[in-house]
Amino acid sequence: MTEQFEREFDVIVIGAGAVGENVADRAVRGGLTAVLIEAELVGGECSYWACMPSKALLRPGTALHGAQTVPGAEEAVTRTLDAAAVLKRRDYFTSNWQDDSQVTWVEEAGIELIRGHGWITDRRMVEVAGLDGNSYVLTARHAVVVATGSAPTVPPVEGLSDVDYWTTREATSVRDIPGRLAVLGGGVAGTELAQAFARLGASVTLVARGRLLGAFPEEAAALVASGLRADGVDLHLQTGTNSVRENDDNSLTLELEGGATVTADRVLVATGRHPALEGLGLESIGLAAAEGKELRLSTDPTGLVAGAAGNDVDPWLYAAGDAAGTAMLTHQGKYGARATGDAIAARAKGDLRGEAARWSRYARTADDHAVPNVVFTDPELANVGRTVRQAERDGVRASSVELPIQVAGSSLHAERYEGWAQLVVDEDRRVLLGATFAGPDVAELLHAATIAVVGEVPLDRLWHAVPAYPTISEVWLKLLEEYGL
């Protein structure tokens, strides 16, 4: 028999992924009560279908290739990847798609969990259709937070909706490696998964309307493209897909612009993501998409949603992570979630009134110009901050310095090491605005760059940050010398 329960909490968070967990945790640490509403696995996309499983699929191939590039180790490596062992390790990192440990953490953090589908019915009001068959009518004393993540954006390709295609969820939870895989999309997810499956034994074709990794400098992306080609990935760049059809043997054929065709056993659609805001009842509080467009939320640095009924005079609706339309990266979403949770707690106590100060614990200021990002391909690509073009659009007089990574540390790291590095400089203030690194294992260079960008470290002081010898970090010294220090 279905029952209805009425409950009251200080904070109601819709979505129990990494972002929702962090919002609730910070609110509870701030002395408030909080409830998480989740219809799927607690821990969300990153834990089970994105960050963790995809990196678990990538790392064995990178480790094997790394050994093959060092004489002495190269001679000892006589086998290819064991796909079954790779998938077993992937299963370990997803906890076999069981969220028991995450639920335990939620309970120990003092957060309540309701499993079900939640939607907003009015100001501070949320209704939940519980997976237990019951319904819940919840009232928030201080805040409702939308932390529902994002969903795949599927392109309008003729015939695509009629076939059984993969999104990243199916790709990262795969049980058998397909013989032939076609990947639509040349962004981070498409590029990473193309290489992972190629190294696991699939024949992979990647099709992208633009160039590979178009958000990154061309010189850096070119190194990744070379790495994919070396693994046998067939790249069709600057090429659209006209149609997809299923064949009598259940294979799929893609017709590309220009008339070429690609036949594959599986098609992975990795053409981007958009905030998952459908079915949340946002129209009931004055938030609706313009005709023919998807709804996007506009938020301030604390996550407060613009345009929601009453939010301008009595703050109550927030959004965090992908749902807020900010940088769709787990680490950045968690950073914003911490700021949002702290801001809610501070406003509840009266410690925060009006706007939050930049770089305070209540503002996600780094979202503006200091977002770090890593592409975990082999070679890796890592960047943070602004490009020269972005800086100039912001009215900043900027320049850049670029070099191949050719230092003692890189030559020791691997035979024929190929890498590239760039710094973007504010010429008026002489501080670092951005940095990009491409090459094997450059991800570990990134946090130093992030600290320099966030801290606005003057170049004259950065000169005194001496890189240890012999490490790949010596490239910092080379870049500063090339700049003229």
Side-chain angles (χ1 to χ4, degrees):
M1 181 178 176
T2 300
E3 293 186 68
Q4 184 178 85
F5 298 92
E6 295 187 6
R7 303 285 304 281
E8 191 173 67
F9 298 90
D10 291 326
V11 182
I12 300 169
V13 183
I14 306 175
V19 169
E21 288 176 323
N22 273 265
V23 172
D25 183 44
R26 299 303 282 208
V28 168
R29 291 186 187 203
L32 304 181
T33 61
V35 61
L36 288 167
I37 301 167
E38 179 56 62
E40 295 191 283
L41 296 178
V42 175
E45 206 76 16
C46 178
S47 297
Y48 306 104
W49 300 288
C51 314
M52 296 307 292
S54 65
K55 300 336 171 246
L57 292 173
L58 282 161
R59 178 57 190 162
T62 301
L64 177 62
H65 185 241
Q68 292 169 335
T69 62
V70 181
E74 180 183 11
E75 289 76 13
V77 177
T78 59
R79 299 174 58 190
T80 58
L81 286 179
D82 183 327
V86 172
L87 296 181
K88 182 178 180 180
R89 185 170 187 263
R90 182 273 319 273
D91 292 349
Y92 168 79
F93 278 102
T94 60
S95 301
N96 289 293
W97 290 274
Q98 299 294 317
D99 63 1
D100 300 23
S101 63
Q102 299 263 18
V103 172
T104 298
W105 176 88
V106 168
E107 293 171 348
E108 292 177 348
I111 304 164
E112 190 154 337
L113 170 67
I114 297 177
R115 292 188 183 270
H117 297 270
W119 64 93
I120 298 167
T121 57
D122 203 344
R123 290 174 57 184
R124 303 179 188 272
M125 299 292 294
V126 173
E127 190 168 334
V128 183
L131 298 185
D132 59 3
N134 296 316
S135 65
Y136 300 81
V137 177
L138 310 180
T139 303
R141 299 184 191 94
H142 296 292
V144 174
V145 184
V146 176
T148 46
S150 59
T153 298
V154 180
V157 174
E158 181 184 343
L160 184 59
S161 61
D162 298 325
V163 302
D164 185 19
Y165 61 84
W166 279 358
T167 65
T168 51
R169 276 200 170 200
E170 290 77 23
T172 55
S173 58
V174 66
R175 288 296 168 192
D176 298 293
I177 306 303
R180 298 166 296 179
L181 175 66
V183 179
L184 300 186
V188 177
T191 302
E192 287 183 346
L193 289 170
Q195 187 170 52
F197 277 92
R199 288 182 165 183
L200 287 167
S203 176
V204 180
T205 301
L206 185 148
V207 184
R209 286 190 175 276
R211 66 175 178 86
L212 197 74
L213 298 169
F216 298 86
E218 288 191 43
E219 296 89 339
L223 287 178
V224 177
S226 295
L228 264 63
R229 290 190 178 102
D231 286 322
V233 178
D234 186 13
L235 299 179
H236 292 262
L237 306 179
Q238 311 288 346
T239 303
T241 302
N242 290 335
S243 64
V244 179
R245 70 173 186 273
E246 185 172 354
N247 303 313
D248 292 339
D249 62 356
N250 296 322
S251 66
L252 303 169
T253 295
L254 287 66
E255 181 183 319
L256 310 183
E257 288 179 350
T261 60
V262 174
T263 299
D265 300 301
R266 293 287 185 181
V267 172
L268 165 60
V269 177
T271 49
R273 301 180 69 84
H274 60 274
L277 302 175
E278 292 185 7
L280 292 178
L282 294 172
E283 64 281 355
S284 70
I285 52 169
L287 298 172
E291 187 174 351
K293 294 185 178 181
E294 290 179 342
L295 175 62
R296 297 274 175 160
L297 300 180
S298 176
T299 59
D300 78 355
T302 68
L304 197 63
V305 177
N311 232 25
D312 52 343
V313 294
D314 182 21
W316 69 276
L317 183 66
Y318 296 77
D322 289 8
T326 56
M328 292 189 179
L329 298 161
T330 297
H331 50 270
Q332 211 67 21
K334 291 164 70 174
Y335 157 74
R338 293 191 291 271
T340 295
D342 286 344
I344 291 169
R347 285 188 173 124
K349 296 175 183 177
D351 295 338
L352 176 62
R353 293 181 173 87
E355 295 183 0
R358 284 175 59 81
W359 299 116
S360 71
R361 64 184 297 174
Y362 311 123
R364 54 187 190 216
T365 311
D367 280 358
D368 294 340
H369 305 301
V371 176
N373 192 11
V374 177
V375 185
F376 287 91
T377 47
D378 182 15
E380 292 174 338
L381 197 166
N383 81 334
V384 63
R386 284 175 278 191
T387 64
V388 171
R389 184 175 299 178
Q390 288 169 337
E392 289 175 345
R393 283 202 301 263
D394 293 335
V396 178
R397 190 169 66 92
S399 68
S400 67
V401 57
E402 301 88 12
L403 283 175
I405 299 178
Q406 295 176 348
V407 293
S410 62
S411 63
L412 282 167
H413 191 84
E415 294 289 287
R416 299 173 297 280
Y417 186 104
E418 286 190 79
W420 183 84
Q422 178 192 61
L423 298 182
V424 178
V425 177
D426 180 332
E427 288 294 340
D428 293 323
R429 295 186 300 147
R430 284 174 64 82
V431 299
L432 198 65
L433 294 175
T436 299
F437 305 98
D441 295 317
V442 296
E444 298 304 331
L445 298 178
L446 186 60
H447 195 56
T450 303
I451 292 170
V453 171
V454 170
E456 298 182 322
V457 179
L459 294 187
D460 290 341
R461 179 60 62 87
L462 193 57
W463 173 256
H464 294 280
V466 182
Y469 181 89
T471 64
I472 300 174
S473 291
E474 282 183 277
V475 71
W476 279 92
L477 173 60
K478 299 298 183 183
L479 286 163
L480 292 172
E481 287 179 331
E482 182 72 10
Y483 179 75
L485 292 178

